[in-house]
Structure formats: structure tokens, C-alpha cells
Amino acid sequence: MNVSGTSTLSGLLPAASSFNPSTLLSSISSWKAYIVPAAIGYATLCRMLRYRGEAKLRREMGFPEGCGREALARMTNVQAQKIIKYLAAWEFPEFHLLALQFGLFKTYGIESISKLLLATRNLTDPVKSLKRYEDTAALIGEFMINPPNSERALHAIARMNFLHAKYRQDGQISNEDLLYTLSVFVTEPPRFARRYEWRAMNDMERCAYGVFWKAVGDAMGIQYKGLLTRDSWRDGLEWADDITAWSERYAVEFMKPSPVVNVPAKALIPMITYWVPWFAKPFAEDIVHLLMDDRMREAFMLPEPSLAAGATVYPLLMLRRLYLRHLALPRFFELKRLGPVDPKTGRIHSNVVYGNFPFYIKPTISNRWGPKAWAIWLYGGKLPGDDPEEYMPQGYLWTDMGPKNRMGLGGEEMEADVKRLRATSRGGCPF
């Protein structure tokens, strides 16, 4: 017989016999006394801080909760831009960008718009399409995050006008096409917030979209007479409602199934699902179809999303909404997608990639050698500093924006347009 084993067992038996379940229960109860109040306190803190930013912005802008339409009628473009910047950089950064992306995507459901994109190959060419998307996002970002009368906002609008001018003069872009494109930037962010974010936009925020994009439309020379139901509007809400109703009528008439618009759809969806592993791409494409409205999906001649996609995505979006609303603290730092102007070169860097390639991103140790960089490299993606002739890590000048065959052009035309815009006092109320 093993004497040492027997003595070990005999030593354990008293310890086992001395175990008291009530001691364990009392320990758990004592932990509950701390955990439950802490969890309740954290949830309460999240709730308080979540809505603090919205209330603070209302006070700063002078539109407290319950203010009437008379107050909103006084909203200036300067105020509207500040409100939209807050939503894009603090409140809804992910879905705000996604809404603008889907809004731009939605315009390709209009056959006349898709025809121009196919003719210029700015969407279907594997090289041109990458730069076109980044430049479009950067220009919109410039006049969205910078004050309306700032040099950056004025030059961004002037560059956009220059790039459109040739096609407008040739009759390849109609006023209706521009108005419809303008409308999606008014309608899609509030729609995405209402359907997918942790809260819907309030009247002040929706009014800001009307004020801001009306001012952009004015700067672009878009005509509303004979298209919208009114010739004058009392505030941004009324204008937003008017252009929303017009865009719905326009889509009914012109957004129809077409092989022409199917081509850009097939080019864009792979860009959206670029970082999804190959084995999950079919399901990811199904999710993209799900996020489209029925008319848009039918115009692109895409299949209906599967029941599995809906059964997966909608519950996850609901859980995300509940988590952000009740269990997540708000952002403590502004999301800055664009950097400052380099005082020596006048160039501007992007801080965040809008699409899938590092256009205008300055190489750093972190973005070339950090964990995320290794993951991108292993996946086969491009890093800041790769292919400098293509991705321009030195940043951009205004004349760099646009197709390669128009880079370096339009400087004089832009400056003349900037001078015109300065004279219009873009910071005031556009109504």
C-alpha cells in the first residue's frame, strides 16, 4: 500500500468536509452588491452622455428642443455646416459616410447619369474608377467639414464646378441629373439614421441638411424653378420636403431596370465588398442588395436579398442600436478624415481612406508597419507609400482632383469661380 498517497488523501478529506456552500453563496452575494449597482450606474452614465452632445449642440446653435419653425427659419449656412460636421465627425460617423456612399450609388440608377459614367470610363475602368471615388469623397468632405466661406470650401466647390462644366456645356449632364444627385445627399443621411443608427435626426438636424445642400445647389448653379413645387421656401425643412417629393417622382419616371445601369452596379459592388474574404463575398453582396431600396435594386437588375441576409443583418443592426444607445459611451475625439493644408506645399493629406486604396495618405511608421498594415499587406492590399505615382502620398492640390487627363487644368477658371462665390456671402441663410 502507498503510504504517501494515503496520507495525501487523508489530508484532503478534512478540507473537503470543511467546505461550506453557504460561504460561496455569500461571496457571490457580496459581488452582486458591487456589480449590479456598477452596471446600473454605467448604463445611466451612457444614457446621460449619449444625449448630452445633441442637447449641447442645440444650445450652441440657438435651437433648443421645442423651438418652433420660426426659429429654424433663421438658420444660416454657417450653422447648418457646423451641425452636419458634428453628425459626420461625432454622432454618426460610420453610417453617415455609408449613407453618402449609397446616395452616390443611387444616382447611378438614373440611365442618363450611368451613360456619362460609361462614356468617360470613370467608373468601369479599374484605374480611373479608384481615383474618381476618392476625389469625389474628398471634395464633398472638404466643403462639408470646412466653414462655407473658408478657402477650402470655396475651392472644393469651384473644383467640382470646373469638372462638371465641360459636360454641362456639352449637354451630357442635365440640370435634372444634378438636382437628383443633390437630392440624395439631402435624403439619404436622415433615412439611414432613422433606419440604422442609435437615434433618428431631430428637426434641427434635418433642417440643417436642407439649408446646407440648398446653399451648395445655389453655388453649383442648379435651377429649381419648374421642377420643385415651390419657388420660395420658408426654411430648410420645407425645401428638404420639396426636393424629397420631387426626387421620388423623378425616380418613378427615370429609375427603371436597364442593362445600362446594371454595368456600374456590377463595378461598384466589388468595391464595397473589397475587404470581405472570398468565401463570404456572396453573402456580403446579398447584404448590399438588402440595404438598397426596392426601386434602386430593381433598376440595377440585381436579385432580391435572401431571407438569411435579412434574418442576420436586421437583428444585428437592432443590437447595435441598443448597444450604442444604452451601453456605449459617445466619442471623445473628433473623427478627422482630412488633414490641414501644408503651409510649405499647399497640399492636403487624407487621414482616413475613403475607399480601398491609400490615395493622398502620408506614409508613417504606424500605417506602414503597424498591425493593421500587416493585415492589409497579407490580404494583398496597398499601403501608404506604395505606387506613389498612382496614390500620391504627397497629398493633393485642388488641380489634382479629377480624372488624370484633367489634372493640372482649370486653375484660372477655379479662381474666377472662387471670386464669384466669395461675393455671394455663402454663410447666410439661403432662403
Side-chain angles (χ1 to χ4, degrees):
M1 187 178 201
N2 191 327
V3 177
S4 61
T6 304
S7 62
T8 302
L9 287 171
S10 62
L12 289 173
L13 287 172
S17 61
S18 64
F19 173 75
N20 189 347
S22 62
T23 304
L24 178 61
L25 292 174
S26 63
S27 299
I28 295 174
S29 298
S30 64
W31 276 105
K32 282 184 179 179
Y34 295 103
I35 292 175
V36 173
I40 294 174
Y42 176 76
T44 303
L45 178 66
C46 290
R47 179 77 178 184
M48 290 172 57
L49 295 181
R50 260 294 163 198
Y51 288 91
R52 188 178 66 170
E54 179 188 5
K56 181 182 177 183
L57 186 66
R58 276 184 170 278
R59 290 194 302 271
E60 290 178 353
M61 294 296 104
F63 306 111
E65 189 171 358
C67 70
R69 294 286 288 268
E70 295 79 11
L72 294 176
R74 297 193 298 271
M75 183 183 290
T76 66
N77 193 23
V78 169
Q79 291 172 314
Q81 181 273 328
K82 288 180 180 179
I83 293 167
I84 290 177
K85 180 182 178 181
Y86 176 79
L87 295 176
W90 294 89
E91 202 82 332
F92 313 130
E94 294 85 5
F95 272 88
H96 190 274
L97 177 61
L98 188 64
L100 296 178
Q101 291 172 331
F102 266 79
L104 193 62
F105 193 3
K106 192 173 186 177
T107 64
Y108 306 151
I110 305 298
E111 188 169 306
S112 56
I113 296 175
S114 283
K115 279 182 178 178
L116 177 61
L117 292 170
L118 296 179
T120 59
R121 298 184 65 199
N122 283 337
L123 191 65
T124 55
D125 186 280
V127 176
K128 287 183 179 180
S129 61
L130 306 180
K131 187 175 188 299
R132 182 191 184 279
Y133 175 77
E134 292 291 339
D135 288 353
T136 301
L139 285 174
I140 293 173
E142 284 284 1
F143 61 72
M144 186 177 287
I145 66 173
N146 291 299
N149 284 321
S150 68
E151 290 300 303
R152 290 180 67 164
L154 296 177
H155 278 83
I157 292 175
R159 186 61 181 175
M160 179 174 62
N161 287 344
F162 168 76
L163 294 173
H164 286 158
K166 176 181 181 296
Y167 303 112
R168 296 182 76 170
Q169 291 167 3
D170 295 344
Q172 293 178 280
I173 298 179
S174 68
N175 183 69
E176 288 82 353
D177 289 341
L178 289 173
L179 184 59
Y180 184 75
T181 302
L182 188 73
S183 74
V184 299
F185 295 123
V186 178
T187 60
E188 292 305 297
R191 185 178 76 87
F192 266 67
R194 184 177 66 253
R195 296 189 64 179
Y196 308 125
E197 267 297 349
W198 63 273
R199 70 169 177 88
M201 291 187 189
N202 57 50
D203 284 352
M204 178 193 74
E205 292 159 346
R206 290 189 295 108
C207 183
Y209 275 87
V211 171
F212 178 81
W213 287 106
K214 169 64 164 57
V216 171
D218 292 346
M220 294 175 66
I222 295 176
Q223 301 300 310
Y224 314 109
K225 191 171 184 179
L227 298 173
L228 303 190
T229 57
R230 296 172 178 270
D231 293 332
S232 62
W233 303 267
R234 59 174 173 164
D235 56 31
L237 285 173
E238 191 168 75
W239 184 82
D241 289 341
D242 201 352
I243 196 173
T244 299
W246 174 85
S247 69
E248 290 172 354
R249 296 192 300 270
Y250 192 74
V252 168
E253 186 173 358
F254 294 103
M255 187 180 286
K256 296 181 178 179
S258 165
V260 173
V261 302
N262 178 251
V263 177
K266 287 182 176 178
L268 275 167
I269 290 178
M271 292 174 62
I272 296 173
T273 62
Y274 181 83
W275 295 106
V276 179
W278 64 268
F279 58 85
K281 282 189 186 293
F283 188 68
E285 291 175 1
D286 222 12
I287 293 173
V288 175
H289 300 166
L290 185 72
L291 295 177
M292 299 178 188
D293 60 52
D294 292 341
R295 187 178 303 281
M296 177 181 174
R297 188 182 64 252
E298 290 169 3
F300 285 133
M301 302 178 68
L302 297 172
E304 289 189 13
S306 66
L307 292 175
T312 302
V313 173
Y314 288 135
L316 288 176
L317 288 172
M318 179 59 71
L319 288 173
R320 177 184 180 274
R321 173 183 292 177
L322 293 173
Y323 169 74
L324 290 178
R325 183 182 295 171
H326 301 291
L327 297 175
L329 294 170
R331 295 182 67 89
F332 292 105
F333 301 98
E334 177 185 346
L335 176 59
K336 296 183 178 180
R337 297 188 181 276
L338 297 172
V341 178
D342 188 314
K344 294 181 180 179
T345 65
R347 292 184 174 275
I348 302 169
H349 286 97
S350 291
N351 293 329
V352 181
V353 175
Y354 281 102
N356 305 311
F357 295 88
F359 280 91
Y360 315 124
I361 303 286
K362 184 178 182 179
T364 64
I365 293 175
S366 174
N367 64 28
R368 281 196 64 83
W369 299 102
K372 184 178 179 181
W374 279 102
I376 292 172
W377 180 79
L378 289 171
Y379 191 81
K382 297 291 185 178
L383 297 172
D386 291 350
D387 301 338
E389 292 295 321
E390 180 66 30
Y391 303 121
M392 300 178 64
Q394 70 273 25
Y396 59 81
L397 298 171
W398 297 115
T399 51
D400 292 330
M401 310 299 277
K404 286 194 172 183
N405 62 357
R406 309 198 74 187
M407 288 177 64
L409 303 178
E412 292 183 5
E413 294 89 338
M414 284 176 57
E415 290 306 318
D417 202 23
V418 167
K419 185 177 180 181
R420 174 186 68 85
L421 292 171
R422 283 199 196 104
T424 60
S425 298
R426 293 194 63 250
C429 179
F431 301 107

